[in-house]
Amino acid sequence: AQSVTQPDIHITVSEGASLELRCNYSYGATPYLFWYVQSPGQGLQLLLKYFSGDTLVQGIKGFEAEFKRSQSSFNLRKPSVHWSDAAEYFCAVLPSGAGSYQLTFGKGTKLSVIP
Amino acid sequence: DVKVTQSSRYLVKRTGEKVFLECVQDMDHENMFWYRQDPGLGLRLIYFSYDVKMKEKGDIPEGYSVSREKKERFSLILESASTNQTSMYLCASSIGQGRGNQPQHFGDGTRLSIL
């Protein structure tokens, strides 16, 4: 079974600083990979996804993520954080085989932004 | 834009009651999912459905059932609510496998309290 690890439970950055949120997965092949963001009291919003091809993917709100097969990682980055980015971020994997429906989520990383 | 609508944002019920959580999506998605989200435990899949009248157990189905009589609607039922079912419940939908793997889209969640 696949698993997802987000090693950082809580990260605090200053507004305008760069950001990197880590995600490592365990799966036999290359899965489909996603990052979601959840603002307080809200549902999850899709930031970006990786299915195949270019390993650097661009998402909404200025976020990007890089897939590194050798490290089984899919880290999320943003060059300059805004106060509105304060939220919880979830990495998720979906097996790439046929008949796979179940997303596996990491436990999440809570981002706090200092003005 | 995909719209997943959960009928209630907040709900308070009593122990032993039968509770219905409703979810509707407007994008003709084949797959629908129910998760619960608890601090420190992340998102856990309760049930999912890949077609009308079809359902599959997720990781934590005990104490829950589901109903999918129409493609756009997926209901979660707590047969006899207990206090340990107090949680945030999230509904999601995605395009079926036959149309390629696509990410799940989430509703805003229902915060359910069982007293």
Side-chain angles (χ1 to χ4, degrees), chain A residues 11-45:
Chain A
I11 285 182
T12 300
V13 299
S14 297
E15 192 169 17
S18 64
L19 172 70
E20 182 170 29
L21 302 182
R22 295 182 291 164
C23 172
N24 293 94
Y25 66 89
S26 172
Y27 181 60
T30 299
Y32 300 125
L33 296 157
F34 309 90
W35 275 100
Y36 287 87
V37 60
Q38 184 180 34
S39 298
Q42 303 294 317
L44 275 69
Q45 181 183 21

Side-chain angles (χ1 to χ4, degrees), chain B residues 48-71:
Chain B
F48 68 97
S49 168
Y50 54 88
D51 202 352
V52 175
K53 296 192 186 295
M54 305 302 290
K55 61 183 179 184
E56 293 282 346
K57 293 180 180 179
D59 298 320
I60 52 163
E62 296 78 18
Y64 303 94
S65 63
V66 290
S67 172
R68 193 157 179 212
E69 296 296 318
K70 293 185 177 181
K71 190 175 186 179

Side-chain angles (χ1 to χ4, degrees), chain A residues 10-21 37 47 60-64 76-89 109-115:
Chain A
H10 192 183
I11 285 182
T12 300
V13 299
S14 297
E15 192 169 17
S18 64
L19 172 70
E20 182 170 29
L21 302 182
V37 60
L47 281 177
I60 62 171
K61 305 186 180 189
F63 284 93
E64 66 179 26
L76 181 71
R77 301 195 294 246
K78 187 169 185 178
S80 177
V81 169
H82 188 262
W83 63 266
S84 60
D85 294 324
E88 192 155 19
Y89 293 80
T109 298
K110 185 174 181 180
L111 174 67
S112 296
V113 180
I114 301 171

Side-chain angles (χ1 to χ4, degrees), chain B residues 18-113:
Chain B
K18 190 168 186 176
V19 180
F20 293 85
L21 302 183
E22 306 287 346
C23 175
V24 176
Q25 49 93 4
D26 66 355
M27 284 301 293
D28 200 37
H29 284 175
E30 285 80 8
N31 302 329
M32 296 189 75
F33 307 82
W34 275 107
Y35 296 87
R36 65 176 283 176
Q37 183 180 22
D38 301 287
L41 297 178
L43 279 84
R44 294 179 290 169
L45 182 65
I46 304 171
Y47 267 98
F48 68 97
S49 168
Y50 54 88
D51 202 352
V52 175
K53 296 192 186 295
M54 305 302 290
K55 61 183 179 184
E56 293 282 346
K57 293 180 180 179
D59 298 320
I60 52 163
E62 296 78 18
Y64 303 94
S65 63
V66 290
S67 172
R68 193 157 179 212
E69 296 296 318
K70 293 185 177 181
K71 190 175 186 179
E72 67 271 18
R73 185 180 297 271
F74 192 36
S75 303
L76 179 70
I77 303 156
L78 284 66
E79 298 290 345
S80 177
S82 64
T83 55
N84 63 11
Q85 292 178 308
T86 291
S87 186
M88 172 74 127
Y89 289 86
L90 292 164
C91 176
S93 72
S94 68
I95 293 174
Q97 285 268 304
R99 294 196 274 161
N101 281 310
Q102 292 295 326
Q104 293 178 20
H105 298 268
F106 284 80
D108 285 336
T110 296
R111 188 164 293 281
L112 175 64
S113 296

